[in-house]
Amino acid sequence: MTNKQHGASLIEILVAVFVVSIGLLGVARMEIFAKQANFEAIQRTTASQIAHDIMEKMRANPAQLANYAGQTVGDGTLGAPGADCTTGACSSVEVASWDIWEWEQLLIGSAEKAGANNTGGLDQSRGCITGPAGGSGEYVIAIAWRGNSPMPDLSPSPCGQGQGLYGTNDEYRRVLTMTVFVSDNGV
């Protein structure tokens, strides 16, 4: 008796290679999604740290809460204040100006550079502080930045909204808001 099957093992190998390649494509796609999710998580963590930074500075300088409220920063146009409060004694007004300027520098990532380009911070970030015009009360610190993929913009905060930075309908806008009570007597 002769075996009439010729090339059957070649077909089986081709099917096996096809199945394995489909599996490898699935693994590669999962890796891409994981990297995107990791980037979004890093951005949210960075925004949280930057928001906590300005919150602590506001609490440390309660006499100047009026100078913090109403601020919107992040476009990199805020000039350095006249007094460098890291090297010398500053008044509480100068400290507030220094804090706002330093906050913007964190948002735009000026501490990390590749050549002349900022590489740290958040992409297309804006930081907003709203609250009473000075004195004790609830202050809202909002930080907006550009995410990787479109999502519905459900944030009630107007920080960075409608500026064309986050897509035509702000579908790439991510916002972290923090509401904090700050007392003007340091408590």
Side-chain angles (χ1 to χ4, degrees):
M1 230 183 207
T2 61
N3 190 352
K4 299 262 184 189
Q5 286 186 331
H6 295 296
S9 60
L10 183 59
I11 291 174
E12 291 169 355
I13 290 172
L14 286 174
V15 169
V17 166
F18 178 74
V19 170
V20 168
S21 63
I22 295 295
L24 290 175
L25 286 173
V27 169
R29 186 176 171 135
M30 282 186 358
E31 182 69 22
I32 290 169
F33 285 139
K35 285 189 178 282
Q36 287 175 340
N38 188 39
F39 178 77
E40 292 278 352
I42 288 169
Q43 294 286 286
R44 186 161 298 279
T45 300
T46 301
S48 176
Q49 290 170 340
I50 293 171
H52 275 91
D53 180 71
I54 194 65
M55 176 195 67
E56 291 302 325
K57 289 176 178 178
M58 290 171 64
R59 285 184 169 164
N61 193 7
Q64 296 303 316
L65 289 173
N67 289 329
Y68 293 98
Q71 293 289 335
T72 298
V73 299
D75 58 3
T77 60
L78 194 60
D84 181 351
C85 295
T86 60
T87 60
C90 290
S91 70
S92 61
V93 173
E94 291 170 325
V95 168
S97 291
W98 180 262
D99 290 345
I100 295 297
W101 176 79
E102 201 171 46
W103 189 44
E104 180 176 66
Q105 297 306 299
L106 288 171
L107 284 167
I108 64 174
S110 65
E112 299 174 45
K113 293 195 178 276
N117 299 323
N118 296 343
T119 58
L122 301 167
D123 188 20
Q124 308 260 344
S125 60
R126 294 293 181 265
C128 307
I129 302 173
T130 56
S136 297
E138 281 191 355
Y139 289 82
V140 177
I141 300 166
I143 298 178
W145 70 94
R146 185 178 179 93
N148 277 342
S149 56
M151 290 176 45
D153 183 16
L154 302 176
S155 174
S157 172
C159 189
Q161 199 170 40
Q163 297 179 357
L165 299 171
Y166 313 115
T168 54
N169 296 315
D170 289 329
E171 66 271 16
Y172 291 94
R173 186 174 84 117
R174 306 292 187 270
V175 181
L176 177 126
T177 58
M178 178 186 309
T179 304
V180 60
F181 182 84
V182 182
S183 173
D184 60 0
N185 64 11
V187 177

